[in-house]
Amino acid sequence: MYSTTLCLPVQGKPAERILLGMKKTGFGCGKYNGFGGKIEDGETPAAAAVRELAEECGLKVQESDLEDVGKLMFSFPDKPELEHDVYVYIVRNWQGEPEETTEMKPVWFDVPDIPYKEMWADDSYWLPAVLKGKKVTGSVVFSEDQEAVDYISIRTV
């Protein structure tokens, strides 16, 4: 198992708009998602979120601007090497403008227009709560196709 981050730039409180990226390569290709990735050795989750956001869309943030909004565990029974936990952050303050990179194409969405059908199947279970200002914790078990959700348990805390 490995640890990852997910950073969600939003405008407004509660969130009115969210920046998502269309994944262009690798795991999750063809899906909209937040920005993030694996935590490197010796790196804190917050430092990884800052680094990944800059690498994937060019936004610069300070660790102090990250709002810790949850931790999720993802299991893939048919592919245990994909099992990981995710530290989820929201950020409302940054420097720069979102830029397309080789990995992600950033797109702003009004919250009512979030394209859940073009995202990971679990996102519609927990993301609305996070955008309303709640923290979440939980676990998700994906089916053998790594697309559908076989089991999900999400709590707001």
Side-chain angles (χ1 to χ4, degrees), residues 6 10 18-19 25 31 33 39 46 59-60 67-68 87 89 95 112 114 120 122 131 154:
L6 186 66
V10 299
I18 183 170
L19 184 67
T25 63
K31 295 183 187 310
N33 201 7
I39 299 172
L59 296 183
K60 308 284 189 224
E67 181 182 340
D68 177 2
Y87 294 84
Y89 298 96
Q95 293 79 46
I114 293 173
W120 286 99
D122 64 285
L131 295 175
I154 303 290

CSV table of all heavy atoms in Angstrom, one decimal, residues 6 10 18-19 25 31 33 39 46 59-60 67-68 87 89 95 112 114 120 122 131 154:
chain,number,residue,atom,x,y,z
A,6,LEU,N,-4.6,14.4,-2.7
A,6,LEU,CA,-5.6,14.9,-3.7
A,6,LEU,C,-5.9,16.4,-3.2
A,6,LEU,O,-6.3,16.6,-2.1
A,6,LEU,CB,-6.9,14.1,-3.7
A,6,LEU,CG,-7.9,14.5,-4.7
A,6,LEU,CD1,-7.4,14.1,-6.1
A,6,LEU,CD2,-9.2,13.7,-4.5
A,10,VAL,N,-10.6,25.5,-5.0
A,10,VAL,CA,-12.0,25.9,-5.1
A,10,VAL,C,-12.1,27.5,-4.9
A,10,VAL,O,-11.2,28.1,-4.4
A,10,VAL,CB,-12.9,25.3,-4.0
A,10,VAL,CG1,-13.0,23.8,-4.2
A,10,VAL,CG2,-12.5,25.6,-2.6
A,18,ILE,N,-15.0,24.7,-8.8
A,18,ILE,CA,-13.9,23.8,-8.5
A,18,ILE,C,-13.0,23.6,-9.7
A,18,ILE,O,-13.6,23.5,-10.8
A,18,ILE,CB,-14.4,22.5,-7.9
A,18,ILE,CG1,-13.3,21.5,-7.5
A,18,ILE,CG2,-15.4,21.8,-8.9
A,18,ILE,CD1,-13.7,20.3,-6.8
A,19,LEU,N,-11.7,23.5,-9.5
A,19,LEU,CA,-10.8,23.2,-10.6
A,19,LEU,C,-10.5,21.7,-10.6
A,19,LEU,O,-10.0,21.2,-9.6
A,19,LEU,CB,-9.5,24.0,-10.5
A,19,LEU,CG,-8.5,23.9,-11.6
A,19,LEU,CD1,-9.1,24.5,-12.9
A,19,LEU,CD2,-7.2,24.5,-11.2
A,25,THR,N,-2.7,10.9,-18.9
A,25,THR,CA,-1.8,9.7,-19.0
A,25,THR,C,-2.0,8.9,-17.7
A,25,THR,O,-2.5,9.4,-16.7
A,25,THR,CB,-0.3,10.2,-19.0
A,25,THR,OG1,0.0,10.9,-17.8
A,25,THR,CG2,0.0,11.1,-20.2
A,31,LYS,N,-10.3,10.6,-17.0
A,31,LYS,CA,-11.3,11.0,-15.9
A,31,LYS,C,-10.9,12.4,-15.4
A,31,LYS,O,-9.7,12.7,-15.4
A,31,LYS,CB,-11.2,10.0,-14.8
A,31,LYS,CG,-11.6,8.6,-15.1
A,31,LYS,CD,-11.6,7.8,-13.8
A,31,LYS,CE,-11.8,6.3,-14.0
A,31,LYS,NZ,-13.0,6.0,-14.7
A,33,ASN,N,-10.4,14.7,-12.2
A,33,ASN,CA,-10.0,14.4,-10.9
A,33,ASN,C,-9.4,15.7,-10.3
A,33,ASN,O,-9.1,16.7,-11.0
A,33,ASN,CB,-9.0,13.3,-10.8
A,33,ASN,CG,-8.9,12.6,-9.5
A,33,ASN,OD1,-9.7,12.8,-8.6
A,33,ASN,ND2,-7.9,11.7,-9.4
A,39,ILE,N,3.0,10.3,-2.4
A,39,ILE,CA,3.9,11.0,-1.4
A,39,ILE,C,5.3,10.3,-1.5
A,39,ILE,O,5.4,9.1,-1.4
A,39,ILE,CB,3.3,10.9,0.0
A,39,ILE,CG1,1.9,11.5,0.1
A,39,ILE,CG2,4.3,11.5,1.0
A,39,ILE,CD1,1.2,11.3,1.4
A,46,ALA,N,1.2,17.2,3.2
A,46,ALA,CA,0.9,18.6,2.7
A,46,ALA,C,2.0,19.0,1.7
A,46,ALA,O,1.7,19.6,0.7
A,46,ALA,CB,0.9,19.5,3.9
A,59,LEU,N,-0.2,25.7,-10.4
A,59,LEU,CA,-0.6,26.6,-9.3
A,59,LEU,C,0.4,26.5,-8.1
A,59,LEU,O,0.7,25.3,-7.7
A,59,LEU,CB,-2.0,26.3,-8.8
A,59,LEU,CG,-3.2,26.5,-9.7
A,59,LEU,CD1,-4.5,26.2,-9.1
A,59,LEU,CD2,-3.2,27.9,-10.3
A,60,LYS,N,0.7,27.6,-7.5
A,60,LYS,CA,1.7,27.6,-6.4
A,60,LYS,C,0.9,27.9,-5.1
A,60,LYS,O,0.1,28.9,-5.1
A,60,LYS,CB,2.7,28.7,-6.6
A,60,LYS,CG,3.5,28.6,-7.9
A,60,LYS,CD,4.5,27.5,-8.0
A,60,LYS,CE,5.3,27.6,-9.2
A,60,LYS,NZ,5.5,26.3,-9.9
A,67,GLU,N,-6.3,23.2,3.4
A,67,GLU,CA,-7.3,22.8,4.4
A,67,GLU,C,-7.5,21.3,4.3
A,67,GLU,O,-8.0,20.7,3.3
A,67,GLU,CB,-8.6,23.5,4.1
A,67,GLU,CG,-9.7,23.2,5.1
A,67,GLU,CD,-11.0,23.9,4.7
A,67,GLU,OE1,-11.0,24.9,3.9
A,67,GLU,OE2,-12.1,23.4,5.2
A,68,ASP,N,-7.1,20.6,5.4
A,68,ASP,CA,-7.3,19.1,5.5
A,68,ASP,C,-8.7,18.8,5.6
A,68,ASP,O,-9.4,19.2,6.5
A,68,ASP,CB,-6.5,18.6,6.7
A,68,ASP,CG,-6.6,17.1,6.9
A,68,ASP,OD1,-7.3,16.4,6.1
A,68,ASP,OD2,-6.1,16.7,7.9
A,87,TYR,N,-4.8,11.5,1.2
A,87,TYR,CA,-5.0,12.7,2.1
A,87,TYR,C,-5.7,13.8,1.2
A,87,TYR,O,-5.1,14.1,0.1
A,87,TYR,CB,-3.7,13.2,2.6
A,87,TYR,CG,-3.0,12.3,3.6
A,87,TYR,CD1,-2.2,11.2,3.1
A,87,TYR,CD2,-3.2,12.4,4.9
A,87,TYR,CE1,-1.6,10.3,4.0
A,87,TYR,CE2,-2.6,11.6,5.8
A,87,TYR,CZ,-1.8,10.5,5.4
A,87,TYR,OH,-1.2,9.7,6.2
A,89,TYR,N,-7.2,17.5,0.4
A,89,TYR,CA,-7.1,18.9,0.8
A,89,TYR,C,-8.0,19.8,-0.2
A,89,TYR,O,-8.1,19.5,-1.4
A,89,TYR,CB,-5.7,19.4,0.6
A,89,TYR,CG,-4.7,18.7,1.5
A,89,TYR,CD1,-4.0,17.6,1.0
A,89,TYR,CD2,-4.5,19.1,2.8
A,89,TYR,CE1,-3.1,16.9,1.9
A,89,TYR,CE2,-3.6,18.4,3.7
A,89,TYR,CZ,-2.9,17.3,3.2
A,89,TYR,OH,-2.0,16.7,4.0
A,95,GLN,N,-1.1,31.2,-6.2
A,95,GLN,CA,-0.5,32.1,-7.1
A,95,GLN,C,-0.5,31.4,-8.4
A,95,GLN,O,-0.3,30.2,-8.6
A,95,GLN,CB,0.9,32.5,-6.6
A,95,GLN,CG,1.0,33.3,-5.3
A,95,GLN,CD,0.8,32.4,-4.1
A,95,GLN,OE1,1.4,31.3,-4.0
A,95,GLN,NE2,0.0,32.8,-3.2
A,112,PRO,N,-22.7,23.0,-9.3
A,112,PRO,CA,-23.8,22.2,-9.8
A,112,PRO,C,-23.5,21.4,-11.1
A,112,PRO,O,-24.2,20.5,-11.4
A,112,PRO,CB,-24.9,23.2,-10.0
A,112,PRO,CG,-24.5,24.4,-9.2
A,112,PRO,CD,-23.0,24.4,-9.1
A,114,ILE,N,-20.5,19.8,-11.8
A,114,ILE,CA,-19.4,18.9,-11.7
A,114,ILE,C,-19.7,17.6,-12.5
A,114,ILE,O,-20.8,17.0,-12.4
A,114,ILE,CB,-19.1,18.5,-10.2
A,114,ILE,CG1,-18.6,19.8,-9.5
A,114,ILE,CG2,-18.1,17.4,-10.1
A,114,ILE,CD1,-18.4,19.6,-8.0
A,120,TRP,N,-14.1,9.4,-11.1
A,120,TRP,CA,-14.1,8.1,-10.4
A,120,TRP,C,-15.5,7.9,-9.7
A,120,TRP,O,-16.1,8.9,-9.3
A,120,TRP,CB,-13.0,8.1,-9.3
A,120,TRP,CG,-11.7,7.9,-9.9
A,120,TRP,CD1,-10.7,8.9,-10.1
A,120,TRP,CD2,-11.1,6.7,-10.3
A,120,TRP,NE1,-9.6,8.3,-10.7
A,120,TRP,CE2,-9.8,7.0,-10.8
A,120,TRP,CE3,-11.5,5.4,-10.4
A,120,TRP,CZ2,-8.9,6.0,-11.3
A,120,TRP,CZ3,-10.6,4.4,-10.9
A,120,TRP,CH2,-9.4,4.7,-11.4
A,122,ASP,N,-16.6,6.8,-7.0
A,122,ASP,CA,-16.8,7.1,-5.6
A,122,ASP,C,-16.9,8.6,-5.3
A,122,ASP,O,-17.4,9.0,-4.3
A,122,ASP,CB,-15.6,6.6,-4.8
A,122,ASP,CG,-14.3,7.3,-5.2
A,122,ASP,OD1,-13.8,7.0,-6.3
A,122,ASP,OD2,-13.8,8.2,-4.4
A,131,LEU,N,-17.3,19.8,-0.4
A,131,LEU,CA,-17.5,21.2,-0.9
A,131,LEU,C,-18.5,22.0,-0.1
A,131,LEU,O,-18.5,23.2,-0.2
A,131,LEU,CB,-18.1,21.0,-2.4
A,131,LEU,CG,-17.1,20.4,-3.3
A,131,LEU,CD1,-17.7,20.2,-4.7
A,131,LEU,CD2,-15.8,21.3,-3.5
A,154,ILE,N,-18.5,6.0,3.9
A,154,ILE,CA,-18.0,7.4,4.0
A,154,ILE,C,-18.7,8.0,5.2
A,154,ILE,O,-19.9,7.9,5.4
A,154,ILE,CB,-18.3,8.2,2.8
A,154,ILE,CG1,-17.7,7.6,1.5
A,154,ILE,CG2,-17.8,9.7,3.0
A,154,ILE,CD1,-16.2,7.7,1.4
